[in-house]
Amino acid sequence: MREPLQVYLSAAERAQLDLLSRQTGLSRAEILRRGIRSYAAERQGVHSPMLEFIGKYGDTPVPPDLGSRHDDYLAEAYEDTHEG
């Protein structure tokens, strides 16, 4: 069961939401739902290989072959590196 919810957005937030909706073909409501799930997962410490990948290279120069080897770099982020 879904429940309606009223939220107040700034003009910039509404423009961002509308842009994302046009770019993805998703409804504004679906974008908001996905944003909530993403934020909740981040707060709960759920492992996200993509976020780990972005964090790994966020403050360092991007590897020059990232465009051609992106799958290799992403696979490294998915690897389980903890001992156990």
Side-chain angles (χ1 to χ4, degrees):
M1 180 174 152
R2 293 193 174 166
E3 176 183 338
L5 176 69
Q6 183 175 358
V7 297
Y8 293 91
L9 302 175
S10 69
E13 291 165 337
R14 176 62 187 255
Q16 181 81 52
L17 183 59
D18 289 343
L19 176 63
L20 286 169
S21 181
R22 283 192 306 276
Q23 289 176 338
T24 64
L26 298 171
S27 69
R28 293 184 306 237
E30 180 60 22
I31 292 169
L32 292 172
R33 284 191 290 269
R34 289 182 183 197
I36 291 167
R37 287 192 299 265
S38 177
Y39 182 70
E42 178 185 318
R43 295 277 303 159
Q44 294 170 0
V46 173
H47 175 70
S48 170
M50 182 56 82
L51 290 176
E52 185 176 322
F53 173 77
I54 291 168
K56 182 177 180 181
Y57 294 104
D59 294 330
T60 61
V62 174
D65 60 349
L66 182 62
S68 61
R69 293 193 53 228
H70 54 85
D71 287 336
D72 297 327
Y73 288 109
L74 188 55
E76 288 176 19
Y78 274 94
E79 288 179 2
D80 184 5
T81 58
H82 72 279
E83 296 184 26

